[in-house]
Amino acid sequence: MAERTEIMNELERDRYFLQIAMEEGARAEEADTVPIGAVLVDSKGEVFACGRNHVHSEMDATAHAEIDVIRKAREAMIKSSDERQFTLYTPVEPCVMCSGAIYLANIKRVVWALDDDNFGGFRELKQHPRYEARLKKISTTSMPFEDMANFQRDRMIRWDLRRGKQNHWPEVAMQ
């Protein structure tokens, strides 16, 4: 029974921190930039940094939400005696650039609400022979909650349509 409680607690924790990341994404959307946020949490559940996308508001192609939280928590991450103790939560699968930064920052786990088959890169990099050994050190939880995946999908569709782009986000099909 204790094992089930531990699983439930992890799911509850994942939902809680994903919700915070999605709230950061709402702030990004209000600033008229890509509606993605991120939260970096240590193994005890302490939030070390919250951040959001600033690509359009700062006119900086590298100003992704994941990079924002890594930069904000840099001192704590560098000084940490426990390698790979942090979990990063974000509404959308990290891109290739952010995936590299996640590896270099010694993040141990990444949780995202919505897979991104178009621009996301974490799943593909993790399976690539050149990076597989490095990235297998990082555990991932992809799309744990259907309601959050659908909410973020709708948000991304709105963002794309506002910018005159076609919808490339497929229906969410949970297994």
Side-chain angles (χ1 to χ4, degrees):
M1 191 66 163
E3 185 178 297
R4 176 135 171 86
T5 305
E6 186 176 310
I7 292 170
M8 292 288 286
N9 287 338
E10 183 173 73
L11 282 174
E12 290 170 4
R13 194 170 31 251
D14 286 352
R15 178 175 279 283
Y16 176 77
F17 290 120
L18 271 176
Q19 184 61 46
I20 294 172
M22 292 177 95
E23 290 167 7
E24 288 293 324
R27 290 182 187 91
E29 188 173 28
E30 290 167 9
D32 200 30
T33 192
V34 185
I36 297 175
V39 178
L40 192 67
V41 179
D42 74 1
S43 59
K44 296 173 186 147
E46 182 180 338
V47 173
F48 267 77
C50 293
R52 59 187 162 273
N53 188 289
H54 296 279
V55 169
H56 294 277
S57 58
E58 294 182 8
M59 302 307 281
D60 178 355
T62 67
H64 291 202
E66 299 90 339
I67 302 298
D68 191 32
V69 294
I70 290 169
R71 286 176 178 158
K72 286 178 177 178
R74 66 184 170 261
E75 188 175 336
M77 295 176 82
I78 298 284
K79 289 182 177 180
S80 172
S81 59
D82 297 329
E83 191 172 299
R84 296 204 187 280
Q85 70 165 341
F86 294 96
T87 298
L88 187 142
Y89 294 89
T90 185
V92 178
E93 177 184 3
C95 72
V96 173
M97 175 186 70
C98 292
S99 298
I102 288 164
Y103 169 75
L104 293 171
N106 286 324
I107 292 169
K108 79 170 184 179
R109 182 170 179 246
V110 183
V111 180
W112 62 82
L114 180 65
D115 289 343
D116 184 350
D117 294 334
N118 192 46
F119 195 66
F122 205 95
R123 290 173 296 149
E124 285 214 25
L125 277 179
K126 202 167 181 177
Q127 294 174 7
H128 190 283
R130 185 167 186 176
Y131 304 107
E132 184 178 26
R134 293 179 186 127
L135 293 177
K136 75 177 180 184
K137 297 175 184 176
I138 303 169
S139 70
T140 58
T141 302
S142 165
M143 297 184 22
F145 308 105
E146 186 172 4
D147 61 324
M148 290 182 143
N150 280 312
F151 182 86
Q152 187 64 29
R153 176 185 178 270
D154 292 345
R155 181 182 271 171
M156 297 307 292
I157 289 170
R158 276 195 317 271
W159 168 253
D160 285 347
L161 293 176
R162 236 188 345 242
R163 295 181 54 233
K165 293 188 171 187
Q166 290 187 335
N167 171 23
H168 73 271
W169 298 91
E171 292 292 323
V172 172
M174 303 294 284
Q175 298 174 0

